[in-house]
Amino acid sequence: MGHMIDSRRLRILRAVADHRTVTAAAAALYLTPSAVSQQLAALEQETGHRLVERGARGARLTPAGEILLTHTNAVLAQLERAEAELAAYGAGDAGTVTVAAFATGIGLVLAPAIAELTRTAPGILVRVQDAEGDASVPMVLDRQVDVAVAVEYRGAPGEDDLRLTRVPLYSEPFDAVLPVGHRLAGRAQVAIADLEKDAWIGPYPGNPCHDVVVLSCEFAGFQPRLEHSSDDFRAVVALAGAGAGVALVPRSALRGMELAGVVVRPVEGSAPYRRVFAAVRQGAEGHPLIAPVLDALAAAAAREGALPLPASP
């Protein structure tokens, strides 16, 4: 190995491993595909090994590439820690932290955390980007944002993922939202199995809440007939209020919402839940700007505590 390995090229290798195509990796890193290819070729030259195989189904790492990826995760986490320590040494208590979060998470924990930070750490400017519950973690890994407020979803990086440090924030049940005139509106609780014949209103595929609805119904023994699609829970509730169908909606999304024409009921038995967590690149949790943001998010989530069922009008 004649040369030092360039850490920027390691980031590119990881992006290709994460995104599985050169084009997608390039888009995530704001580079052209040809620049990514050139950097990969240079990295292969530096290491003396083929690192990436390109096939019809995109790019995947060779065994040598996988070995290097293991080290890449350790090296990049160490660089994050180095940045954090240098920032702490420079008493870097002023600067910007970018947080990607989904709409309900912004309302429930991120906005209160920002209000708290304005008082306790006025040097930290938090910039917020709205991102669906499954989009924010890739943004953190690609260094587009510093912190993700994300929802546990199928295929989400697990607790043991070496690229990330996760902080659990809150978990909440989904409640059944039914038209006022629905045959089950008088029940104290609603069993999902009893909604098999109904039309359903729900988020689009790809949204973690879509998975929850489909999995809950499959668990109850049927495929939901999803007649209406919206990622905006206000729209979902309005459609239910118009009698267009039934829905499962996370409890916090119903808070402070106009609930005209609907009843909200807890789900009988083990209700579907969603778990919400914050994630940063591993090693960045000690950064003097990022640590207070994580603390403020956790404190805001703790203040929320258990979410009470919204009172139906």
Side-chain angles (χ1 to χ4, degrees):
M1 234 161 83
H3 314 275
M4 279 283 290
I5 296 176
D6 181 333
S7 71
R8 283 170 309 186
R9 289 177 188 148
L10 292 181
R11 287 196 212 290
I12 288 172
L13 180 73
R14 182 154 96 181
V16 171
D18 286 349
H19 293 279
R20 296 195 183 88
T21 72
V22 168
T23 316
L29 298 169
Y30 301 109
L31 296 169
T32 62
S34 68
V36 167
S37 298
Q38 280 164 7
Q39 295 288 336
L40 284 175
L43 185 59
E44 290 183 328
Q45 198 110 43
E46 280 172 353
T47 57
H49 289 278
R50 285 286 306 278
L51 300 172
V52 178
E53 294 283 2
R54 294 185 200 186
R57 286 206 301 277
R60 49 192 200 83
L61 268 48
T62 63
E66 293 289 351
I67 290 171
L68 187 53
L69 182 65
T70 310
H71 292 284
T72 292
N73 289 330
V75 167
L76 295 182
Q78 195 59 43
L79 286 172
E80 291 287 346
R81 281 191 285 274
E83 275 181 42
E85 262 183 60
L86 285 169
Y89 174 73
D93 50 4
T96 302
V97 176
T98 316
V99 184
F102 57 101
T104 310
I106 292 173
L108 199 67
V109 290
L110 182 50
I114 289 173
E116 177 68 13
L117 285 164
T118 306
R119 288 196 299 277
T120 58
I124 298 178
L125 175 66
V126 178
R127 283 185 50 218
V128 179
Q129 296 188 16
D130 187 332
E132 280 306 333
D134 56 341
S136 55
V137 170
M139 292 167 77
V140 164
L141 290 172
D142 292 329
R143 298 180 71 85
Q144 294 170 8
V145 299
D146 301 306
V147 182
V149 175
V151 178
E152 203 63 75
Y153 57 96
R154 281 195 291 191
E159 306 276 356
D160 53 354
D161 192 295
L162 295 174
R163 301 168 301 171
L164 296 168
T165 297
R166 293 163 49 125
V167 177
L169 293 177
Y170 63 93
S171 64
E172 60 174 324
F174 283 68
D175 292 316
V177 178
L178 312 173
V180 168
H182 193 275
R183 63 188 183 282
L184 303 177
R187 301 259 180 102
Q189 296 183 314
V190 173
I192 292 176
D194 293 340
L195 300 173
E196 180 173 359
K197 299 281 183 280
D198 288 271
W200 281 74
I201 310 155
Y204 283 98
N207 183 321
C209 292
H210 175 90
D211 282 354
V212 170
V213 172
V214 172
L215 289 171
S216 303
C217 293
E218 283 175 1
F219 195 68
F222 68 97
Q223 280 282 339
R225 185 160 56 84
L226 276 161
E227 294 275 341
H228 310 283
S229 298
S230 170
D231 285 332
D232 183 327
F233 289 120
R234 280 183 309 260
V236 170
V237 168
L239 286 167
V246 299
L248 286 175
V249 176
R251 185 166 291 180
S252 64
L254 295 166
R255 300 226 315 212
M257 198 188 279
E258 185 55 57
L259 296 172
V262 299
V263 295
V264 176
R265 295 290 181 262
V267 171
E268 194 174 284
S270 57
Y273 265 76
R274 70 170 175 182
R275 299 217 312 282
V276 176
F277 62 93
V280 298
R281 293 181 294 279
Q282 192 163 97
E285 64 280 356
H287 192 287
L289 296 176
I290 291 175
V293 174
L294 290 175
D295 290 346
L297 284 169
R303 281 197 301 276
E304 280 305 322
L307 297 156
L309 191 71
S312 291

